[in-house]
Amino acid sequence: MSLPRAKLTKNFPGCPVEAALSYVDGKWKGVILFHLMDGTLRFNELRRKLPAVTQRMLTKQLRELEESGLVSRTVYPVVPPRVEYALTPLGETLKPVIRALAAWGDEYALCRPEGHELRDPSCTPAAALQA
């Protein structure tokens, strides 16, 4: 199995954008961080918010986020075990970035049943006002 890009940070020759993206690289990491911005969530709460992700993939992505220091995992010694995930202080610093991505997605990304598509910026209401 290949290493996630976040583990290969020594291979980024001075590019802060590529290095930063390596920590949120992954199909579900950005969405996990987005949902954790509202507060602590248990594993099954995250699963319900991400119905298309498998348990195995969610676990993998959470472990990578935890390993990079963006997410904390708290296990409570009760039966059945209770595990909660939250943003760390470092993860909290990504909130403005995630909010900016969400705003850009609201403005330019069309989500349709047949797939995602980008909206032409010249067709947005803001562009019509500038014309």
Side-chain angles (χ1 to χ4, degrees):
M1 178 183 279
S2 65
L3 291 173
R5 288 188 345 152
K7 294 182 181 177
L8 303 174
T9 53
K10 290 181 176 46
N11 296 330
F12 301 130
C15 179
V17 173
E18 188 173 7
L21 285 173
S22 73
Y23 290 98
V24 294
D25 184 12
K27 184 172 183 177
W28 301 104
K29 287 182 185 177
V31 182
I32 291 167
L33 293 169
F34 175 78
H35 287 297
L36 289 176
M37 285 182 8
D38 293 332
T40 302
L41 292 172
R42 294 176 70 173
F43 183 84
N44 282 331
E45 291 174 313
L46 275 169
R47 277 268 334 255
R48 283 191 288 278
K49 290 179 181 289
L50 306 166
V53 69
T54 64
Q55 180 172 338
R56 180 174 182 252
M57 180 55 70
L58 180 57
T59 299
K60 180 181 184 289
Q61 300 276 276
L62 283 165
R63 284 187 181 151
E64 288 177 13
L65 287 167
E66 183 184 7
E67 187 175 316
S68 66
L70 298 174
V71 169
S72 66
R73 177 178 186 260
T74 305
V75 180
Y76 294 93
V78 294
V79 177
R82 188 175 98 206
V83 180
E84 293 181 343
Y85 294 90
L87 293 178
T88 62
L90 181 61
E92 294 276 343
T93 65
L94 283 171
K95 281 184 172 183
V97 176
I98 302 295
R99 283 190 194 107
L101 284 169
W104 187 88
D106 285 341
E107 184 75 22
Y108 298 109
L110 301 171
C111 297
R112 298 186 173 149
E114 60 273 7
H116 303 293
E117 183 180 316
L118 290 178
R119 181 180 293 139
D120 182 352
S122 63
C123 297
T124 63
L129 292 175
Q130 293 175 352

